[in-house]
Amino acid sequence: MWRRLHLIHRWAGIALGLLVLLWLLSGLVMLFVARPELRAEERQRALAELPARAPAVSPAQAWAAVSASTPAEAGGLRLQQQLGRPVYLLQAGKRWLAVDGLSGQPRPPLDAAQAAELARTYARGLSGRPLELAELELLERDQWTVYSRFNAQRPFYRAAFRDDEGLELYIGQASGELLLDTRRWERAWNWLGSVTHWIYITPLRQHTELWRQIILWSSGAAALMCVLGLMLGLQRLRLRRRYASGSVSPYRERWQRWHHLLGLGGGAVLLAWLFSGWLSMGPGGWPGGDGEAARQERQRWQGSSLPAASLALPAPRPGVVELEALRFQSQTWWLARLAQGGSELISPEGQVLPQGLSEAQLKTAGQALRPDQALRGGQWLHEGDLYYYPLRHHPRSFPVYRLDYADGVSVYLDPRSARIALRLDAAGRWNRWLFHALHRWDLPPLLGLGWARDAWVIALSLAGLALTTAGAVLGWRRLRGRRPSILKRPSGQKALATP
């Protein structure tokens, strides 16, 4: 039996060892370089300030202009200033459309000249100076826009600029909205980081289920390979009756010995990392949870749908670059995003609430959110707890108000955006510890340590890289046909060939 297990581990390592090595190396890169993403503060800096006078066309008129040709419920509404004119952006079904705020007519998709002018405006807002446009192309998707969250805005204009950073912007053709910015160094590092780690190769990634199955089965097989390695490593470990050389390991050749000892020392950590990565692909519907209950709770939080036919804008205010309509308890509120960053909530009565909703409003909404469950308590959080906490590439909004219910569910409410920041049930708690803790080392003693946590993760990654590098060398030698060496056993035991 052990011989067969050795053969399975050997050939699984030859098939998957290099992939695991690349996962570890790319994960180390991702610790410092996030995948390209348009941050909220960048987006607001790029937008032009809304004029001091309200547009001639109301939100209701803008919606009427598109609802006849697109009979769908209004999913979202924003007001921006584009190309010197106010523009309503409306989500009708699964698409974002634009309506001119002065004429009230649906705006046709941007042509190349309009896209170029808009791109220059966005680039100037981001960089603080005019930039020369080098290239403009219309595309459906590429390496950085392959994600499904961009589907409602396809196709895009990609605008590349001649500057030291190699800035590229992606602008929705229908909406004119700035959706993504990338820079040369960011793209280069991400080929070694997120693209390699998630195998985000565009022709594969656009077929979501096929891509998911490939990652699911390869990571699962890699975890089983690691289990076998641990079993075999322990089987050949001799702490009391040592080998003839006096060593606890039977291997005298350098790479074999390192692979054995590093596997014993760090194999369990590597197994936990591979297992948690496998869980991230949702095997068997992991982490589960009551999705229908969560959907109903979001509906209760918002109340009735956005009444586009009767929407009215709040009074214009200086420094606002975007107005977004949102629903809270069957009333329309507005989120005003500011040029200098941040946002302000505006009540249905037009009152500006820089701090957002009050504790009483949040608690009342929380009771209506889950009317069949008693509240155990609520508290403000000004810093992270075990489940809602900031990470280097995943900022969180603070303060939030946490409500705990009798059945163990907790919700974290963002007072400044009038939204549910996080819903946490038993499935979410399991996912936090079995994925986030094991894969990213989001452990309570480490979360607040900053560079010390990074150093710990780097050390573990380097140990994993050493282990997998040794395995890759052994696999390469095997493929080249190198004859295995003979293991030296204690006297009286039969010698075994190396795996």
Side-chain angles (χ1 to χ4, degrees), residues 35-37 91 93-96 140-156 179-180 198 200-202 204-209 211-212:
R35 70 183 182 189
E37 192 170 16
Q91 187 179 22
K94 296 181 179 180
R95 301 293 301 169
W96 281 93
E140 188 70 20
R141 60 171 48 82
D142 67 358
Q143 186 62 56
W144 315 116
T145 58
V146 72
Y147 313 106
S148 58
R149 63 188 174 90
F150 290 112
N151 287 348
Q153 297 274 14
R154 301 185 194 279
F156 316 97
L179 303 169
L180 180 67
W198 290 317
Y200 269 6
I201 303 167
T202 305
L204 172 63
R205 182 60 182 85
Q206 62 184 336
H207 303 290
T208 302
E209 187 54 30
W211 164 81
R212 177 182 168 274

Side-chain angles (χ1 to χ4, degrees), residues 477-495:
R477 288 180 174 180
R478 172 64 60 172
L479 289 176
R480 291 181 62 190
R482 180 169 174 173
R483 292 176 62 85
S485 61
I486 302 299
L487 299 176
K488 302 297 185 180
R489 292 291 217 178
S491 59
Q493 293 191 25
K494 185 178 179 180

Side-chain angles (χ1 to χ4, degrees), residues 256-274:
Q256 294 173 326
R257 183 179 178 83
W258 275 112
H259 189 64
H260 184 210
L261 296 179
L262 284 169
L264 291 171
V269 174
L270 181 59
L271 173 60
W273 189 73
L274 290 170

Side-chain angles (χ1 to χ4, degrees), residues 10 12 22 91 105 151 197-198 200 275 295 335 421 468:
R10 174 198 300 165
L22 290 174
Q91 187 179 22
Q105 297 300 310
N151 287 348
H197 195 77
W198 290 317
Y200 269 6
F275 172 72
R295 186 187 65 81
L335 195 63
T468 51

Side-chain angles (χ1 to χ4, degrees), residues 19-37:
L19 181 59
V20 175
L21 189 152
L22 290 174
W23 279 338
L24 286 163
L25 181 61
S26 57
L28 195 56
V29 172
M30 289 169 64
L31 181 64
F32 299 100
V33 182
R35 70 183 182 189
E37 192 170 16

Side-chain angles (χ1 to χ4, degrees), residues 358-424:
S358 68
E359 181 174 358
Q361 288 172 309
L362 292 170
K363 186 170 286 189
T364 299
Q367 290 170 334
L369 185 68
R370 310 186 77 231
D372 57 336
Q373 292 293 329
L375 276 174
R376 291 193 305 178
Q379 62 173 317
W380 286 103
L381 295 180
H382 296 274
E383 58 184 15
D385 63 6
L386 286 176
Y387 298 97
Y388 184 88
Y389 52 89
L391 293 172
R392 183 196 298 271
H393 305 311
H394 302 277
R396 296 279 199 180
S397 176
F398 289 97
V400 293
Y401 192 68
R402 189 183 76 195
L403 287 172
D404 300 314
Y405 295 87
D407 63 350
V409 171
S410 298
V411 293
Y412 297 75
L413 308 176
D414 185 347
R416 287 192 171 94
S417 66
R419 291 189 171 105
I420 300 173
L422 176 67
R423 180 190 189 271
L424 186 70

